[in-house]
Amino acid sequence: MESHVSHHRARESSGRRRPRNRRAVLLSAAAVLVIGSGAAALAAAGSGDEHPAAAPAATAEGAAGTPVPDGSAASSAVPSTSASASASPSASASASASASTSPSASAAGSSPAARGTAAAPPAAPVAKPGTAPVTFTGLAFDTCTAPGLATMNAWQGTSPYGAAAVYIGGKNRGCAQPQLTANWVKSVSSSGWKLVPLYVGAQPPCQTGSSPEKLTADTAVPLGTTDGNDAVAKAAALGMRPGSTLYLDVEAYNTADTSCADAVLAYVQSWNRAVHGSGYWAGFYGFASSSAAGIAKAAGENAPDLPDAMWYARYDGAADTTGSFPFAAGLWSGHRRAHQYQINQKESYGGATVTVDRNAWDAPVAVVG
């Protein structure tokens, strides 16, 4: 991959490879009511684990960086059920329009300032979209550069996949996207594919290496707003309508660095508020033992404005979102989880070959058309 963050092939920055690709101030009782109403609308409407993407550039389909294993060891209680390249088409995922039934924790939390770290200024919570997200359950793939239409058509119905993740923007997106246009989105969606829009936003200040955009404690909130609005604009330009779920890609970092973790959380919360304010749902991509763990910790502490869906990277070969889920069982339940369980797999279907990362998906996707 390119020298900056791109596809998830950019594994964690524990001094090896540069990745690519806290808490909110106490809310008033009125603010809590606003968040609660948003959650009710959702329910009623029915560290050596860097992502594989930052290393050498990949400009053609199938090019991928060398994987670095997830630092979290696979549980012996979770059997390996990874799909092979020869998986039967019957394994294709089928779309589900069911809504999330257990909104993520969004009650008031404690202020970073109380812990002696940089605090985000108070921000009024933004009500979440009133229409439930469209979800997909099955297998999904992601690859750095969106494949051409011919490849997508060849894979449709012959591969075990029913959804594909695409990098819609972000200053840290490292792969060119010559295929990714509104016409491409419309065409692949019309043929039956579900799409997962991924935005490679500002990266943590404590990551090693360099990224085109890094946040700081002082810039976390304004950058989150700017990047969230940009993610919405990029999605809308591709024909992904309000009601779509946009995923923010935050690569691995040292979560033991509390000032860094607080800045990341402030950025994510600000990004989420901006996305929600435009009528989109907010998802999050991160590593089970680092960036995703930081968000899960905040959820356990009832921080506000957290992601509506969690896409976690844990390379244990388990194609599920339950037994492999590394956090508290009640978090992001109800069709709001995705699991990147295997990476850099060269697969051929219908005469077309692509190197992909494999994902078990039970979470929201884009709304097109």
Side-chain angles (χ1 to χ4, degrees), residues 329-343:
L331 296 178
W332 295 288
S333 59
H335 306 294
R336 294 186 300 132
R337 297 175 185 170
H339 176 198
Q340 187 181 62
Y341 63 89
Q342 203 165 26
I343 59 171

Side-chain angles (χ1 to χ4, degrees), residues 13 21 57 133 150 158 170 174 192 200 205 211 215-216 225 228 249 252 255 260 275 297 299 314 324 339 346 354:
S13 53
N21 284 6
T158 63
V200 191
S211 296
L215 60 94
T216 68
T225 300
D249 181 338
T255 55
C260 183
V275 168
K297 181 177 184 293
R314 187 184 189 191
S324 68
H339 176 198
K346 189 174 183 179
V354 184

Side-chain angles (χ1 to χ4, degrees), residues 8-289:
H8 305 278
R9 302 194 161 86
R11 312 288 173 189
E12 176 187 37
S13 53
S14 56
R16 284 182 244 176
R17 204 158 28 199
R18 170 178 100 34
R20 119 358 295 200
N21 284 6
R22 137 148 143 76
R23 276 176 219 142
V25 181
L26 287 172
L27 296 176
S28 65
V32 174
L33 289 175
V34 173
I35 293 178
S37 65
L42 171 59
S47 253
D49 58 7
E50 285 182 1
H51 189 276
T59 56
E61 293 177 14
T66 302
V68 176
D70 186 344
S72 57
S75 169
S76 59
V78 180
S80 174
T81 56
S82 62
S84 66
S86 59
S88 165
S90 63
S92 288
S94 59
S96 165
S98 59
S100 167
T101 58
S102 176
S104 59
S106 58
S110 60
S111 168
R115 295 164 43 199
T117 58
V126 177
K128 298 180 181 180
T131 302
V134 172
T135 64
F136 169 83
T137 300
L139 294 182
F141 76 85
D142 64 275
T143 190
C144 197
T145 298
L149 279 176
T151 296
M152 296 297 288
N153 290 335
W155 277 40
Q156 175 61 34
T158 63
S159 77
Y161 304 106
V166 291
Y167 290 87
I168 64 171
K171 291 182 179 178
N172 290 314
R173 181 179 71 170
C175 290
Q177 301 294 339
Q179 311 292 344
L180 191 55
T181 64
N183 285 336
W184 185 93
V185 168
K186 181 178 180 180
S187 294
V188 300
S189 298
S190 297
S191 69
W193 286 102
K194 299 301 179 184
L195 296 177
V196 178
L198 187 61
Y199 186 89
V200 191
Q203 295 301 302
C206 56
Q207 279 182 347
T208 58
S210 60
S211 296
E213 182 181 59
K214 275 193 174 183
L215 60 94
T216 68
D218 292 334
T219 65
V221 171
L223 258 183
T225 300
T226 298
D227 286 353
N229 289 334
D230 184 55
V232 167
K234 294 292 193 299
L238 290 170
M240 298 174 179
R241 298 192 287 106
S244 297
T245 300
L246 311 182
Y247 289 80
L248 174 63
D249 181 338
V250 176
E251 296 295 322
Y253 68 96
N254 178 16
T255 55
D257 184 332
T258 55
S259 62
C260 183
D262 285 344
V264 171
L265 179 60
Y267 172 80
V268 172
Q269 290 170 314
S270 181
W271 193 91
N272 293 346
R273 286 192 294 268
V275 168
H276 285 158
S278 294
Y280 289 75
W281 294 99
F284 184 86
Y285 169 88
F287 289 88
S289 59

